[in-house]
Amino acid sequence: IVDANPAACKTHVYTREELIGQPITLIDRSVTSEQAHAIKAKLSDVPIVMRAKHQRKDDSVFDVEASVIRMVLDGKTVGVSFERNITEQSNIEQSLRMGDARFRALYDNSYDAVLLMKPDGRIVSANATACRMFGWSEQELTQLGRSGVFVMDDRAISATQKRQETGQAKAELTFRRKD
């Protein structure tokens, strides 16, 4: 580390003097010295953007997105790193992945038939229970759409209208089976 601005010092909880002269492995312990040299060798006028986990002086860890570019300083090639703390973004992404995994588990293992539909009535996906219950493959259900599976009686028409108006509807419906 050849220099550090006040924001970098504050983020990593080191003084400028404590950072200068230290290897990058002081704050990025996930990278080895060899990897740091390999990254430095790849540097050019085009920034390399990467994600890393940085460590503060108190050993707490946070996620960063670093944009590293080559620069010549006093005749010596160095990497200049512009970093952004993305811990909150990483936490949100992790929550979404976990939420998606939970949804997928419920969808795949449900004892109820689940049809994911667009407002226009296209079926985008059907779980295995729906396929067994209706006797059609998922591909057949997606081709049939709502009108091919639902008996479009007054209850279905009313529920469809309510869903289009409010985004949701609750109703008892009659479905068609393949047989």
Side-chain angles (χ1 to χ4, degrees), residues 108-119:
D108 289 342
N109 299 302
S110 177
Y111 290 116
D112 295 321
V114 180
L115 300 172
L116 298 179
M117 285 188 278
K118 296 280 187 183

Side-chain angles (χ1 to χ4, degrees), residues 51-177:
R51 285 184 169 199
K53 289 198 175 290
H54 277 198
Q55 195 161 349
R56 295 181 181 94
K57 186 177 182 178
D58 65 5
D59 288 332
S60 62
V61 176
F62 62 101
D63 296 319
V64 297
E65 181 179 77
S67 180
V68 186
I69 193 164
R70 181 186 62 201
M71 183 176 173
V72 178
L73 183 66
D74 297 329
K76 185 177 177 183
T77 300
V78 296
V80 177
S81 179
F82 300 92
E83 298 174 357
R84 183 170 65 100
N85 186 331
I86 58 166
T87 303
E88 186 175 338
Q89 178 183 338
S90 296
N91 291 341
I92 290 168
E93 289 170 0
Q94 177 66 22
S95 293
L96 289 173
R97 280 192 297 275
M98 289 173 56
D100 188 51
R102 285 192 296 261
F103 167 77
R104 179 51 71 183
L106 286 170
Y107 177 82
D108 289 342
N109 299 302
S110 177
Y111 290 116
D112 295 321
V114 180
L115 300 172
L116 298 179
M117 285 188 278
K118 296 280 187 183
D120 65 6
R122 286 180 292 147
I123 296 174
V124 221
S125 181
N127 70 352
T129 303
C131 295
R132 279 192 305 278
M133 190 179 288
F134 301 126
W136 280 301
S137 68
E138 182 178 22
Q139 182 180 2
E140 290 171 316
L141 286 167
T142 58
Q143 290 170 350
L144 287 168
R146 175 178 49 220
S147 60
V149 180
F150 289 30
V151 173
M152 293 305 288
D153 57 15
D154 290 340
R155 292 179 303 179
I157 292 168
S158 176
T160 301
Q161 288 172 342
K162 185 170 182 175
R163 180 171 186 252
Q164 286 174 341
E165 292 167 8
T166 66
Q168 57 187 350
K170 210 176 213 183
E172 288 187 26
L173 302 172
T174 304
F175 294 88
R176 288 188 182 92
R177 287 182 40 84

Side-chain angles (χ1 to χ4, degrees), residues 3 14 16-17 32 51 56 74 77 79 96 119 135 179:
D3 205 351
Y14 281 100
R16 183 171 173 264
E17 293 73 25
T32 64
R51 285 184 169 199
R56 295 181 181 94
D74 297 329
T77 300
L96 289 173
D179 59 2

